[in-house]
Amino acid sequence: MHTPERKLADTRDALRTLYNDLNSLPLNDASPATRETRLSLYQDAHNIVDDISGLLTVRSKPAKPIKAPVVVTPAQKRYNDDIRTHWNDQHLSAKNFKTVLLDYPPSGSLATVETSAITRLITGFRVAGKVWQSQLNDIVVSRSTLNALCVRARKISSVQDTVTRLVQLDQSIRNQFKASIADQFVHYVIRTVQTLRFMFEWQQHTSGPGSRQYKTKIISASFAALYPRTQAKLVAGDEKAKEELERYRRKHQSMIEGRQRVLKWYMRFGPAILLDRFWDPDNETRGIRRSKTFYELMDIVCEAEVGRQEDKDVHCAEWNYFLAADCLYRILEILASTEVADFVEEFFAEHPPMIPNGYEYGWGKHDE
């Protein structure tokens, strides 16, 4: 059975044959009138062939253009679903800080803990100095020397009434926990400052000509300082000591990679990472578990922060840097001392993060 398309194609082919026959006829031996007639005939045949070809083209279904699929990685989906909408959230309070401080390490799935920490990082804190004092006062009051703790424990043990004694014991345990958490936070801040200082020094001396030799020198000196007995065996040519050194080199490289990530986050978000122990460099160097998408997610967040700086968003960049620095200074004054706060201030002055427009921190010198 012949379809209409088949019939049209057969007609087209017959007309094409006719057109070729007409076109092959000689024109030179014909009269002007005959030549004009022949030209008109095969021009008509040519037009008919084109028209039929057009009909065939219209009747056939055009192929739909294939769109390239948009690939969204799991990390990008996490950013779009859980992080993206929080850039302009209201700043966190001193109460929020205290809750996170006392609940460390946090509970929950890896993704939940990470999302909460990133949200705090991009939202930031904005708290007046007097509010910090009232919120952290009970932690400060609970702090005392180890000797004082023992004296207080003996007094509690001498209480005759059982109910009173148990209540005081429970309060003592809770207060000691708060005090230890505060001490751990201050140690975290100082340790992070020293880690960042190390990375600035490391990068300065381990790039360019001679960097490989310099790295080898640093690693060897560090190994000798940490393991003097093994170093003595290494000097004597002991093979097991050489294996120990090689293992240390690999461990040192992993440590550098972890510290490098913390440095990158500091350069993007400044003092904000020192307000939350989630960003502890030891978490990166000791292999604390992170979700499979965490590091890619952080790369996306860092790039988004760069874009917001370029857009001069009022809720980020200089203002959030300043707020984080100011909050950290006040917290350290309360939980530690002015000397500790000044120590951290000096580090920021020496190694500021990537602050747009040359912004400078102002520490503890602003209206309450």
Side-chain angles (χ1 to χ4, degrees):
M1 180 178 181
H2 294 293
T3 63
E5 287 77 12
R6 181 68 266 171
K7 291 180 179 180
L8 283 170
D10 291 342
T11 303
R12 178 201 59 194
D13 293 340
L15 288 171
R16 182 172 290 152
T17 300
L18 175 61
Y19 171 80
N20 290 334
D21 290 342
L22 290 171
N23 196 38
S24 65
L25 291 175
L27 298 177
N28 294 333
D29 60 347
S31 64
T34 302
R35 186 164 55 248
E36 183 176 348
T37 300
R38 290 177 182 175
L39 287 172
S40 177
L41 284 171
Y42 64 66
Q43 183 63 52
D44 288 344
H46 177 73
N47 292 338
I48 293 172
V49 170
D50 284 347
D51 291 342
I52 294 176
S53 297
L55 287 174
L56 290 174
T57 301
V58 170
R59 287 203 175 197
S60 63
K61 294 182 179 180
K64 294 182 178 180
I66 300 175
K67 295 182 179 180
V70 178
V71 179
V72 178
T73 68
Q76 289 171 327
K77 187 176 187 307
R78 280 187 67 184
Y79 175 77
N80 293 335
D81 294 347
D82 303 329
I83 305 297
R84 191 171 188 170
T85 58
H86 291 291
W87 281 101
N88 290 315
D89 282 0
Q90 185 175 358
H91 289 102
L92 299 173
S93 66
K95 185 177 181 180
N96 296 133
F97 171 83
K98 183 179 179 180
T99 299
V100 173
L101 177 68
L102 297 179
D103 285 349
Y104 186 87
S107 59
S109 67
L110 293 178
T112 299
V113 171
E114 292 165 358
T115 298
S116 297
I118 296 172
T119 301
R120 292 193 298 270
L121 181 68
I122 66 177
T123 302
F125 295 86
R126 184 179 184 182
V127 184
K130 292 180 180 179
V131 177
W132 282 117
Q133 185 66 54
S134 62
Q135 277 292 331
L136 302 178
N137 185 62
D138 62 325
I139 297 178
V140 176
V141 171
S142 65
R143 302 177 75 184
S144 58
T145 65
L146 295 177
N147 289 339
L149 284 174
C150 293
V151 171
R152 190 178 303 164
R154 289 193 181 97
K155 289 182 179 179
I156 294 174
S157 298
S158 65
V159 174
Q160 296 299 314
D161 182 70
T162 303
V163 174
T164 303
R165 186 169 62 252
L166 289 175
V167 170
Q168 291 185 7
L169 276 170
D170 184 61
Q171 290 176 336
S172 175
I173 293 168
R174 294 175 185 274
N175 288 338
Q176 189 174 345
F177 170 76
K178 290 180 180 179
S180 64
I181 288 293
D183 289 337
Q184 290 172 26
F185 175 78
V186 176
H187 281 287
Y188 155 68
V189 172
I190 296 174
R191 188 174 66 254
T192 302
V193 165
Q194 292 298 80
T195 298
L196 293 170
R197 192 186 301 277
F198 173 92
M199 286 309 300
F200 280 113
E201 289 281 339
W202 175 267
Q203 288 190 331
Q204 181 180 355
H205 297 291
T206 57
S207 60
S211 60
R212 183 180 296 273
Q213 292 84 348
Y214 202 90
K215 289 180 182 178
T216 300
K217 183 179 180 180
I218 294 174
I219 294 172
S220 298
S222 176
F223 179 80
L226 289 171
Y227 310 105
R229 293 183 179 180
T230 308
Q231 175 65 18
K233 294 179 182 179
L234 182 66
V235 174
D238 184 83
E239 291 299 322
K240 289 186 177 180
K242 292 180 181 179
E243 294 176 2
E244 288 290 331
L245 175 60
E246 186 57 33
R247 278 194 289 271
Y248 180 76
R249 290 184 194 278
R250 293 194 294 269
K251 183 179 179 181
H252 192 274
Q253 178 60 33
S254 177
M255 177 195 71
I256 291 297
E257 291 173 357
R259 291 179 175 180
Q260 183 68 46
R261 287 191 288 267
V262 177
L263 176 62
K264 177 181 178 179
W265 300 334
Y266 167 75
M267 294 303 289
R268 280 285 171 259
F269 296 97
I273 69 164
L274 278 78
L275 286 167
D276 194 333
R277 289 183 64 192
F278 176 87
W279 308 104
D280 193 329
D282 282 356
N283 292 343
E284 299 302 313
T285 59
R286 290 182 302 171
I288 299 297
R289 288 185 62 204
R290 302 293 195 195
S291 67
K292 293 181 179 179
T293 57
F294 174 70
Y295 294 117
E296 182 186 348
L297 176 61
M298 280 306 299
D299 288 341
I300 295 172
V301 173
C302 287
E303 289 302 316
E305 170 68 5
V306 173
R308 292 170 65 81
Q309 291 176 13
E310 292 174 351
D311 291 341
K312 301 186 184 305
D313 194 298
V314 296
H315 192 68
C316 68
E318 297 100 329
W319 184 229
N320 271 5
Y321 286 157
F322 162 73
L323 291 175
D326 188 65
C327 288
L328 182 61
Y329 188 90
R330 297 179 188 279
I331 292 168
L332 291 175
E333 277 190 314
I334 296 169
L335 297 184
S337 65
T338 302
E339 287 75 16
V340 172
D342 288 341
F343 169 79
V344 177
E345 176 186 13
E346 292 167 5
F347 168 76
F348 287 136
E350 294 172 12
H351 302 287
M354 296 175 65
I355 309 170
N357 306 322
Y359 184 84
E360 295 181 356
Y361 292 110
W363 285 74
K365 302 173 182 177
H366 304 277
D367 295 337
E368 298 294 317

